[in-house]
Amino acid sequence: MTKLEKIEQDIQRLSPQDLDTFRKWFHAYDAQRWDEQLERDVSAGRLERLRQEALTEHQDQRSREL
């Protein structure tokens, strides 16, 4: 049995209350990891092209307020 399969089995055995607690924890954990990856991508310049495209579209009045 792989580590992931063991985790899956353990999750399936959680009580409804523990599953809710786990779900909230995992959502926060996943969001934090995503934020960290986004920060690394921004710092490395990986989003620069998209930023420039958005600025150009805005300057060309091809954007709208949300």
Side-chain angles (χ1 to χ4, degrees):
M1 175 182 306
T2 68
K3 188 174 184 178
L4 181 57
E5 290 169 333
K6 171 77 168 98
I7 292 169
E8 289 172 350
Q9 285 184 355
D10 289 344
I11 290 171
Q12 291 171 355
R13 288 189 207 111
L14 292 174
S15 70
Q17 296 85 4
D18 286 344
L19 181 58
D20 186 53
T21 299
F22 172 75
R23 185 181 294 118
K24 290 174 183 173
W25 171 84
F26 187 79
H27 177 75
Y29 171 78
D30 194 38
Q32 179 63 38
R33 295 282 307 260
W34 191 89
D35 288 346
E36 291 167 0
Q37 181 63 54
L38 182 60
E39 288 177 22
R40 286 191 300 272
D41 289 346
V42 168
S43 294
R46 291 185 188 108
L47 302 175
E48 184 58 30
R49 181 183 57 82
L50 295 175
R51 184 188 75 81
Q52 190 56 50
E53 286 177 16
L55 287 174
T56 299
E57 288 182 10
H58 183 70
Q59 290 167 350
D60 293 344
Q61 297 181 349
R62 293 184 286 146
S63 64
R64 60 183 171 88
E65 286 193 41
L66 299 174

